Amino acid sequence: MKLSVSEIFHSIQGESSFAGWPCAFVRLAGCGHGCLHCDTAYAEAPGTEMTIEGIIGRVDAIGAPLVEITGGEPLLQEDVYTLMEKLCNRRREIVLLETGGFLSVAGVDPRVHKIIDIKPPSSGVSEKNHQENIDLALQSGKDESGSFEFKIVVADRPDYLWARELLTRTGLADACTVMMGTVFGRLEPRSLAEWILEDRLRVRMQLQMHKYIWPPDMRGK
Ligand code: SF4
């Protein structure tokens, strides 16, 4: 079993309810969704073929309390499911999955904490958000299908209004954590903070912590 890997690195988890924890990131290669604000376009390039054992060895060498499988779009590679299962079986670290939200997470090991993007209109791909993931999260409290959180990164006021409507219509923010942040350099964090407070929106605001610690376009951080 092999996976195509863009990079494996040690950094601070920067944008989820786990933000601030040291984390081993496994970035799988390939995506193809074409989001306009993609900040990891380099992950589209062909990666290095690695065995699952080789990847786990690198994760062990890093020795962080979290491991995050990300991309690119990690769910495009069939063997990622086995990788996540093996990582969970070890019970050494919390296992996170970060996905673009276009593919179903139904087959992901329930022990994995799923961080799912919801892409707003400025991404150019909002029509590709996979509705089933929202439905799964809404059911998750009833059937123990694991932990979900969603991430919405907005670039402007229309994105925010779109997200507010979605959350109001679905009740998603009552069912699980919804993180809301800004596209770095596109929207002043203060504007988003004021909109959230004004609307009493039940979301957690976040900034991409790693982009404030290191240069925002730095790879491997
Ligand atoms: S899903 Fe993620 S990696 Fe893929 S294009 Fe969109 S932002 Fe980039």
Side-chain angles (χ1 to χ4, degrees):
M1 276 184 184
K2 286 197 168 177
L3 287 152
S4 178
V5 177
S6 175
E7 57 183 351
I8 298 177
F9 58 98
H10 190 201
S11 189
I12 297 291
Q13 217 291 344
E15 48 177 339
S16 74
S17 60
F18 291 88
W21 284 103
C23 180
F25 287 86
V26 178
R27 188 183 306 290
L28 299 185
C31 178
H33 290 303
C35 307
L36 295 178
H37 306 307
C38 180
D39 54 5
T40 52
Y42 60 84
E44 290 286 6
T48 304
E49 295 288 310
M50 291 183 71
T51 61
I52 287 178
E53 290 69 29
I55 294 170
I56 291 176
R58 292 279 303 279
V59 170
D60 278 344
I62 288 173
L66 303 181
V67 55
E68 176 172 311
I69 312 300
T70 185
E73 174 46 67
L75 295 181
L76 284 174
Q77 298 191 48
E78 202 176 319
D79 291 341
V80 74
Y81 295 93
T82 306
L83 171 63
M84 290 188 283
E85 190 185 335
K86 289 196 170 185
L87 286 168
C88 288
N89 288 344
R90 296 150 28 100
R91 299 173 183 268
R92 286 200 197 159
E93 59 279 288
I94 296 169
V95 182
L96 312 179
L97 166 73
E98 185 159 354
T99 168
F102 305 122
L103 302 172
S104 173
V105 298
V108 174
D109 190 301
R111 295 169 293 179
V112 173
H113 186 87
K114 296 167 277 292
I115 304 165
I116 305 169
D117 277 347
I118 298 178
K119 304 289 186 184
S122 73
S123 69
V125 289
S126 60
E127 76 288 349
K128 293 204 282 182
N129 290 316
H130 197 72
Q131 174 65 37
E132 188 198 5
N133 289 334
I134 293 177
D135 297 339
L136 284 170
L138 292 171
Q139 292 165 13
S140 66
K142 299 174 200 151
D143 62 8
E144 299 179 345
S145 57
S147 56
F148 289 78
E149 75 182 61
F150 289 81
K151 175 161 70 77
I152 310 176
V153 182
V154 301
D156 51 28
R157 177 80 178 163
D159 273 359
Y160 172 78
L161 294 175
W162 179 92
R164 187 183 71 179
E165 190 281 326
L166 180 142
L167 296 177
T168 306
R169 174 167 41 84
T170 61
L172 184 63
D174 295 317
C176 63
T177 298
V178 176
M179 312 293 296
M180 191 177 282
T182 59
V183 177
F184 190 85
R186 281 284 302 270
L187 177 65
E188 280 300 317
R190 181 172 172 168
S191 299
L192 178 60
E194 288 175 355
W195 298 338
I196 289 171
L197 293 174
E198 190 178 308
D199 290 335
R200 290 165 170 74
L201 207 59
R202 198 183 184 288
V203 296
R204 271 179 71 175
M205 183 169 164
Q206 65 172 356
L207 303 176
Q208 295 170 299
M209 190 184 288
H210 49 293
K211 295 196 177 179
Y212 291 85
I213 301 173
W214 292 283
D217 55 356
M218 187 171 172
R219 250 185 94 153
K221 287 297 176 193

